[in-house]
Structure formats: C-alpha cells, structure tokens
C-alpha cells in the first residue's frame, strides 16, 4: 500500500501532492501503517524535480505530523492502557513497552516528547504513554512542535544538499542512522538543559486529574 501511494505521489504536481503528504501523515494518527520518515525523505526528494517547493512542504509536513502525533496522544489520554487490549494494537505496542515508556515519561517529563520525534520505532509508544499519564495537551503540542520544527527542515534541506544521493538518507541506511543518532544526542542535551532551566523550582512532571 505504501509503495502504491509513493508511486502515486510521484505522478502528482503542486497542491494535490501536498494534500496527499498531509493526508498520509494525518492518517498515521488513525493507525494507517505508514513510515513517515520514508514519506518525508521521498517528498523532500520531489522538491528536486519541482513537484513541490521546500518551504510549503515543510509547513504541510509540520502540520500533518503535529495532528498525527496529537491524535495518538489523544487516544492515550481518552482510552489509556485499555487501548492496547485490542489484539492488533497489542502487537504494535506491547503492554511491556507501554509500561516502559510510562516509566520513562515519569523520569524525564515532557523532554521525552521532544526526543521521541527523533526516535523512529518508539514515537507512538511515547505519545500514547504521555496521553495515558494525562499530560496537558499544551505540553504535547509545544514539545512535539519544537522537535518537528527541527526535524522537518533538517530532512528537507539534507535531501536537497545531497541531491541525487538522497536515498542515503532513508531510515534503513547506516549513514542516516548515524546522523539521526548524532542529532538525538545533540538535541537531547540542548533540550534537557532548556527544560531543566525552565522547570527549575517547579515540579518536573505535572498530571491533570
């Protein structure tokens, strides 16, 4: 299915291409099995041929990611751990992983939301855990929005920088994994410093009852 959508995306031009990228990203918040990292890298590659322009793509992708991640957070807030009692969801997010992410959230607070955007494979579990712990919506959108504002332009302009070698940035590439790891370490250190400074003297983690 994903391959078919990517082939269809290559055939589009202008606003229909933006609409498809936005729709796929939002659909992932409803459980559509899509790899958003591959989608973003592929869409960024299409800016090289003029199918889309960089800054409109960044704006569309940023909005789509925030809505998708916000939906996962919302499902966690409304349904809590009961959500993964469904057989399909229990396979995608095992109860032990959700419990581990909840413990991680309790230790690190909203910084985990920021870091999760750079950690493929655990994002959904982190956002679901944040919602199940009833973090305020404003924290989800603030920290996820800041992280997406870093990640999306970085991906788009990295693809444009490498040009014809853009497939080296796909998530399965060892070179890309090294880049992501370095970015996570750097951004994590900056985020931890900023969040600690902001929350000094206040509770690091707040729950809305």
């Amino acid at each position: 299915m994903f391959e078919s959508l990517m082939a269809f995306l290559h055939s589009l031009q202008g606003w229909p291409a933006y609409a498809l990228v936005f729709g796929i990203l939002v659909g992932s918040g409803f459980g559509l099995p899509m790899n958003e990292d591959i989608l973003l890298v592929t869409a960024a590659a299409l800016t090289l041929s003029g199918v889309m322009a960089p800054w409109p793509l960044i704006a569309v992708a940023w909005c789509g990611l925030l809505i998708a991640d916000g939906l996962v957070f919302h499902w966690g807030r409304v349904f809590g751990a009961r959500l993964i009692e469904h057989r399909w969801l229990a396979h995608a997010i095992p109860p032990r992983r959700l419990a581990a992410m909840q413990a991680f959230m309790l230790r690190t607070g909203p910084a985990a939301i920021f870091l999760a955007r750079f950690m493929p494979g655990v994002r959904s579990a982190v956002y679901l855990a944040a919602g199940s712990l009833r973090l305020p919506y404003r924290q989800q959108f603030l920290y996820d929005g800041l992280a997406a504002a870093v990640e999306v332009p970085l991906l788009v302009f990295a693809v444009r920088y490498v040009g014809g070698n853009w497939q080296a940035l796909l998530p399965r590439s060892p070179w890309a994994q090294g880049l992501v790891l370095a970015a996570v370490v750097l951004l994590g250190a900056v985020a931890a410093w900023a969040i600690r400074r902001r929350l000094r003297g206040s509770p690091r983690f707040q729950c809305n009852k």
Side-chain angles (χ1 to χ4, degrees), residues 15-206:
W15 71 264
Y18 297 117
L20 181 59
V21 170
F22 181 80
I24 294 173
L25 289 173
V26 172
S28 67
F30 288 98
L32 194 66
M34 295 295 165
N35 188 312
E36 61 187 33
D37 298 292
I38 294 178
L39 170 64
L40 290 175
V41 171
T42 303
L46 294 179
T47 67
L48 296 169
S49 57
V51 173
M52 290 179 280
W55 285 110
L57 172 61
I58 288 169
V60 167
W62 186 85
C63 292
L65 288 173
L66 254 66
I67 293 173
D69 297 343
L71 283 168
V72 176
F73 176 89
H74 176 71
W75 305 138
R77 209 170 194 275
V78 172
F79 299 105
R82 292 175 299 153
L83 190 65
I84 61 171
E85 291 177 3
H86 189 282
R87 182 174 58 182
W88 183 84
L89 285 173
H91 176 73
I93 305 177
R96 291 181 62 181
R97 174 178 289 185
L98 179 61
M101 291 302 102
Q102 287 175 329
F104 179 55
M105 290 295 308
L106 288 170
R107 289 195 307 271
T108 61
I113 296 173
F114 182 93
L115 294 175
R117 174 105 305 272
F118 304 94
M119 301 166 65
V122 301
R123 288 179 191 139
S124 295
V126 170
Y127 301 143
L128 191 65
S132 69
L133 291 172
R134 304 193 66 79
L135 263 69
Y137 283 98
R138 65 179 178 275
Q139 289 189 350
Q140 168 66 23
F141 286 108
L142 173 62
Y143 291 99
D144 190 37
L146 288 172
V150 173
E151 181 203 25
V152 178
L154 177 65
L155 274 178
V156 171
F157 287 105
V159 167
R160 292 178 63 80
Y161 178 77
V162 300
N165 297 319
W166 64 270
Q167 289 183 336
L169 292 174
L170 290 174
R172 290 182 182 178
S173 164
W175 183 86
Q177 291 172 355
L179 175 65
V180 170
L181 180 59
V184 168
V185 172
L186 176 61
L187 292 169
V190 173
W193 174 82
I195 291 167
R196 239 181 234 180
R197 183 174 179 181
R198 182 184 173 203
L199 299 181
R200 183 175 297 169
S202 300
R204 288 170 49 185
F205 176 76
Q206 298 177 352

